Amino acid sequence: LGRHRDDRRHTGFTYNGVPFDQDNLNVFAGLCAVDTERHVDAMMAALAAHGQHCTRMGAYKPRTNPYSFQGYGARSLPWVFEAAGRHDIRVVAMEVTHESHIEEIDTCLERLGRPTGVMLQVGTRNTQNFELLKAIGRQREYPVLLKRGFGITLNESLNAAEYLASEGNANVIFCLRGMKTELGHPHRNMVDFAHVPTVKRLTRMPVCIDPSHSVGNRDAAPDGIPELVHATAQGVVAGANMVLVDFHPHPEKALVDGPQALTLSELPRFLEDVRLCHDTW
Ligand code: PEP
């Protein structure tokens, strides 16, 4: 996935009719964790109403605390895939934390007649889970969204991407999601979107930003705009090709990361802001 100077070849791929490359931009707004069928449907209906064809939906949640909600797993896959089919959502970014989840996703999609496509997400806690990377790399059906490891060097995370490619799957998007610091507040992580052009210079991968998990709350700046929206703007102006962002119809009811979710009424303005920032390219 590494690039040579001025190498503009193969900077992306098309999946299920949606192009992903270093020159375009896709927004993946959606639920951090799938909780109810109704919330899934409301989220996708809102996306469809605003011309969106991609979303994020977490069925398998890697939690720091074993007693926290771990996601509904396979049970919730039909809620997601059927709703995606109804609303013409073509790509669902979904984290997998174990090789068996790929099989579960594949089986469910097959049973439903493949109403949508899935982008397999590797979370920041699994960036160096080499056996998982190899298993995901061995399959060619689904593209991969690889999160940067929050406590390792950029080069180590880029090597993790090579694990996917070396097993045969080079349809990889690299996601910046903030780095751990000792501070933790007011942002959960140190926003690292200044590395968007760096990753594009060093590799041929499209680059995603995750302002929700970087900032970790939707607190507003003095201008009334959530700081995570400011961070999004910075990342998009810097050249991000994908935005992974948490929304929820009722953030106060969300089972995971409610405080960082934007509301559906904020969706049109968010999409417009992203479009305006992208127009600066
Ligand atoms: C997520 O996107 O749902 C998530 C858990 O992100 P990260 O792996 O970056 O913490």
Side-chain angles (χ1 to χ4, degrees):
L1 297 167
R3 84 184 302 163
H4 300 293
R5 211 175 157 74
D6 298 329
D7 178 2
R8 301 296 301 169
R9 288 168 302 153
H10 313 305
T11 65
F13 55 92
T14 295
Y15 174 63
N16 215 22
V18 182
F20 296 91
D21 58 54
Q22 286 197 343
D23 295 317
N24 76 351
L25 174 66
N26 293 292
V27 176
F28 280 64
L31 306 182
C32 180
V34 171
D35 43 23
T36 68
E37 237 178 309
R38 195 186 309 182
H39 290 158
V40 170
D41 195 74
M43 184 70 236
M44 295 209 197
L47 291 169
H50 293 96
Q52 299 299 298
H53 295 293
C54 301
T55 190
R56 60 154 300 153
M57 290 280 152
Y60 309 96
K61 297 307 299 178
R63 305 306 303 282
T64 305
N65 185 328
Y67 306 113
S68 301
F69 175 64
Q70 305 281 312
Y72 285 124
R75 185 184 144 200
S76 61
L77 298 180
W79 309 346
V80 174
F81 300 155
E82 283 171 356
R86 275 198 302 280
H87 297 292
D88 194 23
I89 300 291
R90 297 179 201 152
V91 187
V92 179
M94 179 174 281
E95 179 162 0
V96 289
T97 58
H98 191 272
E99 189 177 346
S100 60
H101 299 158
I102 310 170
E103 178 80 22
E104 288 176 0
I105 289 170
D106 196 55
T107 304
C108 183
L109 281 174
E110 192 59 34
R111 183 170 59 78
L112 297 175
R114 302 210 171 260
T116 187
V118 167
M119 180 179 286
L120 300 175
Q121 182 177 321
V122 179
T124 192
R125 292 160 188 79
N126 276 319
T127 308
Q128 287 189 310
N129 181 341
F130 299 120
E131 296 310 316
L132 180 65
L133 294 173
K134 284 193 245 176
I136 294 176
R138 276 194 295 273
Q139 62 76 39
R140 314 279 173 88
E141 174 81 25
Y142 306 108
V144 188
L145 178 65
L146 176 70
K147 296 272 193 115
R148 173 190 201 158
F150 55 36
I152 57 178
T153 67
L154 179 61
N155 197 39
E156 285 164 339
S157 289
L158 296 180
N159 269 310
E162 291 299 341
Y163 264 90
L164 297 160
S166 68
E167 292 289 332
N169 191 339
N171 291 347
V172 183
I173 297 175
F174 189 80
C175 183
L176 299 171
R177 48 81 69 213
M179 303 296 292
K180 281 242 184 273
T181 69
E182 285 179 15
L183 307 174
H185 287 282
H187 294 173
R188 192 199 292 171
N189 292 291
M190 184 63 78
V191 180
D192 55 352
F193 300 165
H195 282 167
V196 169
T198 313
V199 178
K200 288 173 81 167
R201 170 169 59 83
L202 294 174
T203 80
R204 291 180 277 121
M205 290 184 281
V207 180
C208 176
I209 53 168
D210 178 346
S212 308
H213 289 83
S214 297
V215 173
N217 64 65
R218 59 170 174 278
D219 294 351
D223 59 9
I225 297 172
E227 289 178 16
L228 80 87
V229 176
H230 280 285
T232 304
Q234 291 156 14
V236 175
V237 168
N241 306 110
M242 176 169 160
V243 180
L244 190 75
V245 58
D246 294 358
F247 274 77
H248 197 287
H250 301 285
E252 72 287 355
K253 294 186 185 160
L255 297 180
V256 180
D257 286 343
Q260 71 194 26
L262 298 173
T263 61
L264 298 190
S265 62
E266 292 173 295
L267 183 63
R269 169 90 191 263
F270 183 87
L271 294 170
E272 178 63 4
D273 285 348
V274 167
R275 192 187 63 75
L276 290 171
C277 292
H278 183 230
D279 283 352
T280 63
W281 289 15

